[in-house]
Amino acid sequence: MIIRPELRALRGNDAPQRQAQSEFQTVLNRWREYGPGRQVEEEIAQFAAGARIEDLPLLSTLFAPDDSSAQSFVAGLVEAFVAELAASPLGQVPLRYSCDETMASLAVTRHGTAVLALQAVDGAGLARKPFPVSASFAPTETHERVLAGSGTAVRVRIASDLPDRAELQFEDVTLVPGPVRHRFGSQEAQLLRDVSGTLVTLKLQRRQGTGAVTREHLLADGRLVHQAAGTPRESRLELAAALLGRMGRADAAPLLAAIAEEEAAQSLRWEALRECLGLDSAVGFATLSRIAARPLDPLASPAGALRAQLLETYPQLSGVQPCPA
């Protein structure tokens, strides 16, 4: 293994590395204090809280069609960091980022469930990957514009939902600087087909509400192949409910019953209800009966079907009365 002298020196004295990171943080602080950083961070917080982009001066300008403000906004931040990297090549930009052989993403600013990110897609890396066989529809709202480069993509829309599949519509789109695309991810997905050189985009995204789920459908026939909770919190709660069930924690049944009846993702509520039934049949069946009796509850129909099935298999459950709401 070849270790460059600069890296070998850091093993004995990491002071230069710490100094470099301090300089990078100074660059970021200067952008926030004297550049547009403070305003964009204030507006991203408002956007996360539900504000319309039209009511946010800077964000609405960044995503105005054929407006060049986005290029100068990004250049002001990127050029400052590039200059610092030239002086300290071992430093790291103090913003959250990720990269693989196809895409690099840098979170310019984020707050709660909203993020403003800069992304670069390498055309050669994309060409090495097979075109997806499925599309994921996540509960997000996205504004996106191309800053540099070009490419093509397929826009996939859910035309109608069926019990175990969706009717999908497809549209070829050309990605070039200028236009701004806006989509709701629960109904529309975008799949990159090819990129010429490098495609650089600025993307503003936020998650929508609670209780939504991410669904994955096959492109060939629209069949639903995977479904997941729409937020990390709901995913953690699903795992916690399953763990309580595996541990046999009967004392957790009232808590699981409460989760099953709250406003949350259907997958989370159903998982909590299943585990509650397994831990305490009386509490679980009473909760199941209450849900089945609510005509406007999206779980009323499957809950009613499960209730009828359980009564047929275990007639003694008929003596369990629903608890007062």
Side-chain angles (χ1 to χ4, degrees), residues 151-270:
T152 63
V154 177
R155 186 174 296 159
V156 187
R157 290 193 181 95
I158 295 180
S160 61
D161 283 307
L162 303 173
D164 62 345
R165 66 187 64 243
E167 181 183 344
L168 303 179
Q169 293 180 340
F170 304 90
E171 178 187 358
D172 292 330
V173 295
T174 301
L175 307 176
V176 293
V180 174
R181 293 174 302 283
H182 175 229
R183 63 181 179 273
F184 291 101
S186 59
Q187 294 297 315
E188 183 178 322
Q190 181 172 283
L191 305 176
L192 285 175
R193 186 184 294 281
D194 63 74
V195 166
S196 177
T198 301
L199 181 73
V200 181
T201 61
L202 185 65
K203 180 183 295 186
L204 175 66
Q205 188 173 79
R206 66 179 169 190
R207 285 193 170 271
Q208 294 178 286
T210 60
V213 296
T214 296
R215 297 168 296 167
E216 182 181 355
H217 292 273
L218 288 179
L219 300 179
D221 57 9
R223 181 162 52 90
L224 179 66
V225 293
H226 183 68
Q227 181 169 294
T231 67
R233 174 183 178 273
E234 289 168 348
S235 293
R236 290 193 295 266
L237 289 175
E238 280 193 40
L239 289 173
L243 179 60
L244 290 170
R246 302 294 82 76
M247 294 173 64
R249 291 288 300 272
D251 59 316
L255 173 61
L256 293 172
I259 293 175
E261 294 190 76
E262 72 176 8
E263 293 185 6
Q266 295 181 38
S267 58
L268 169 59
R269 295 178 60 205
W270 194 252

Side-chain angles (χ1 to χ4, degrees), residues 42-111:
E42 291 174 352
E43 291 189 9
I44 202 75
Q46 297 175 56
F47 187 70
R52 301 186 312 157
I53 190 172
E54 294 83 359
D55 298 328
L56 305 172
L58 179 54
L59 288 179
S60 62
T61 300
L62 294 180
F63 291 91
D66 300 313
D67 192 302
S68 62
S69 300
Q71 280 84 351
S72 58
F73 170 85
V74 170
L77 180 63
V78 171
E79 290 174 359
F81 279 132
V82 168
E84 193 60 38
L85 279 169
S88 304
L90 297 181
Q92 296 186 41
V93 175
L95 293 172
R96 183 176 297 185
Y97 65 91
S98 63
C99 62
D100 56 27
E101 64 177 10
T102 303
M103 178 183 293
S105 180
L106 178 71
V108 177
T109 183
R110 61 187 306 132
H111 187 281

Side-chain angles (χ1 to χ4, degrees), residues 270-316:
W270 194 252
E271 178 65 26
L273 182 58
R274 287 178 58 253
E275 300 299 344
C276 182
L277 282 164
L279 292 171
D280 189 316
S281 58
V283 173
F285 191 77
T287 305
L288 179 68
S289 298
R290 286 197 298 274
I291 294 174
R294 300 171 182 168
L296 299 181
D297 193 318
L299 289 185
S301 179
L306 178 58
R307 185 177 186 276
Q309 180 183 347
L310 290 175
L311 283 173
E312 182 179 350
T313 307
Y314 307 101
Q316 60 270 32

Side-chain angles (χ1 to χ4, degrees), residues 101 122-129 195 197:
E101 64 177 10
D122 176 59
L126 180 65
R128 289 192 293 267
K129 300 175 64 175
V195 166

